[in-house]
């Protein structure tokens, strides 16, 4: 009789190999960082294709001067964080950042392996560069601390994720991309993961010696004010709000003894001006 298992035997063998390896150095993830990269490449390709089809992904190769300016400004902000000396997988992950032209969505998200996406709605909503840096640092932490792949591992199982990473499960790939992009219910991180991402955002921004290391707190203050006026922004829907989040970020900044004075808004202003002309 033909084997009725849902996955080929070679995938099961791969799963067994991963299960036998130690997880202690992998942040509790059975996947290796190299598999984060493979999975992230597949998911990022699907996300890119989805938003390109909608005409919403700002293409980095565009000859539009405003698009070029937007990415030049955004890259300077992101690179200050990545070069903070605090990113564990700084050299392993590709660390790309893309802009989705959707003014109605106040959100950002990260795939495994370091692909970051931010919506124009969030950029236009924010008030200063420290707040945007706080959002980006938070999303970088989700990838660098491997929260995305850990949650996907729980939601889908190892065998399915391995199949997706190898390009053998396009249906699940589309579902994962839609979850991360918020077009479905969103990838729901645990409160522990959210708290860790907040704490590491402080460390990352502190390492820049440029941004206020509690920049994420200002971002959440502004989000909470928006939430009190009506429907909670997408970011709070896809990123559960741990108790005392703002206070915890500010307390972490005090413990770290890092800079809490505001940085110049030069790149942020150039970024906002560029996307306002699209």
């Amino acid at each position: 009789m033909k084997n009725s298992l849902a996955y080929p035997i070679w995938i099961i063998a791969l799963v067994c190999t991963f299960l036998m390896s130690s997880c202690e150095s992998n942040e509790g993830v059975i996947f290796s960082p190299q598999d984060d990269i493979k999975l992230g490449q597949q998911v990022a390709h699907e996300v890119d294709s989805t938003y390109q089809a909608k005409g919403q992904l700002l293409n980095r190769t565009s000859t539009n001067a405003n698009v070029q300016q937007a990415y030049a400004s955004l890259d300077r902000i992101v690179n200050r964080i990545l070069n903070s000396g605090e990113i564990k997988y700084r050299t392993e992950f590709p660390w790309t950042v893309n802009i989705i032209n959707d003014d109605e969505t106040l959100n950002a998200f990260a795939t495994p392996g370091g692909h970051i996406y931010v919506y124009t709605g969030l950029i236009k909503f924010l008030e200063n560069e420290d707040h945007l840096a706080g959002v980006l640092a938070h999303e970088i932490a989700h990838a660098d601390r491997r929260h995305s792949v850990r949650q996907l591992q729980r939601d889908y199982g190892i065998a399915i994720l391995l199949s997706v990473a190898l390009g053998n499960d396009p249906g699940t790939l589309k579902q994962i991309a839609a979850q991360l992009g918020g077009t479905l219910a969103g990838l729901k991180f645990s409160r522990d993961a959210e708290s860790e991402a907040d704490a590491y955002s402080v460390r990352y921004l502190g390492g820049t010696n440029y941004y206020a290391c509690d920049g994420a707190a200002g971002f959440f203050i502004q989000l909470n004010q928006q939430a009190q006026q009506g429907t909670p922004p997408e970011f709070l829907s896809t990123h559960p709000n741990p108790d005392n989040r703002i206070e915890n970020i500010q307390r972490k900044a005090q413990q770290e003894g890092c800079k809490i004075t505001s940085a110049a808004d030069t790149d942020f202003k150039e970024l906002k001006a560029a996307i306002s002309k699209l």
Side-chain angles (χ1 to χ4, degrees), residues 44-224:
H45 178 73
E46 181 65 28
V47 172
D48 289 353
S49 297
T50 298
Y51 285 102
Q52 280 175 342
K54 295 179 179 181
Q56 292 179 314
L57 185 72
L58 297 191
N59 194 330
R60 280 184 166 272
T61 62
S62 172
T63 58
N64 184 301
N66 292 314
V67 173
Q68 292 176 346
Q69 180 60 65
Y71 275 118
S73 301
L74 181 60
D75 286 345
R76 283 192 290 270
I77 298 171
V78 171
N79 286 333
R80 289 187 187 104
I81 302 168
L82 292 177
N83 295 328
S84 65
E86 299 290 342
I87 310 297
K88 182 174 182 179
Y89 295 106
R90 173 66 179 100
T91 58
E92 287 88 346
F93 291 172
W95 296 114
T96 65
V97 59
N98 283 291
I99 302 171
I100 298 171
N101 191 9
D102 178 355
D103 289 350
E104 301 303 314
T105 301
L106 307 183
N107 208 356
F109 63 94
T111 77
H115 300 275
I116 312 298
Y117 294 84
V118 58
Y119 291 83
T120 55
L122 182 63
I123 296 170
K124 291 181 177 181
F125 169 75
L126 295 173
E127 295 177 346
N128 63 50
E129 194 163 320
D130 290 299
H131 293 178
L132 177 58
V135 178
L136 294 169
H138 180 97
E139 294 305 327
I140 288 169
H142 277 316
D144 194 46
R145 303 306 301 168
R146 308 186 69 200
H147 297 156
S148 300
V149 74
R150 190 186 309 170
Q151 189 61 48
L152 290 170
Q153 182 178 288
R154 293 185 186 124
D155 290 350
Y156 291 92
I158 304 304
I160 292 178
L161 282 192
L162 281 171
S163 184
V164 171
L166 295 169
N168 297 321
D169 193 340
T172 301
L173 174 61
K174 288 182 181 295
Q175 185 175 346
I176 291 173
Q179 271 191 280
L180 287 168
T183 55
L184 290 179
L187 186 65
K188 301 291 187 181
F189 291 112
S190 69
R191 286 177 174 264
D192 286 346
E194 287 300 314
S195 294
E196 186 175 46
D198 289 346
Y200 271 85
S201 77
V202 174
R203 288 185 58 177
Y204 296 164
L205 295 188
T208 68
N209 292 316
Y210 185 84
Y211 293 116
C213 64
D214 61 352
F219 161 64
F220 286 116
I221 289 171
Q222 193 174 349
L223 273 191
N224 287 340

Side-chain angles (χ1 to χ4, degrees), residues 248-268:
N248 289 340
I249 293 171
Q250 293 171 335
R251 185 180 305 112
K252 178 66 174 176
Q254 290 178 341
Q255 292 171 350
E256 294 284 328
C258 47
K259 174 182 178 290
I260 57 172
T261 54
S262 297
D265 288 331
T266 306
D267 289 318
F268 180 65

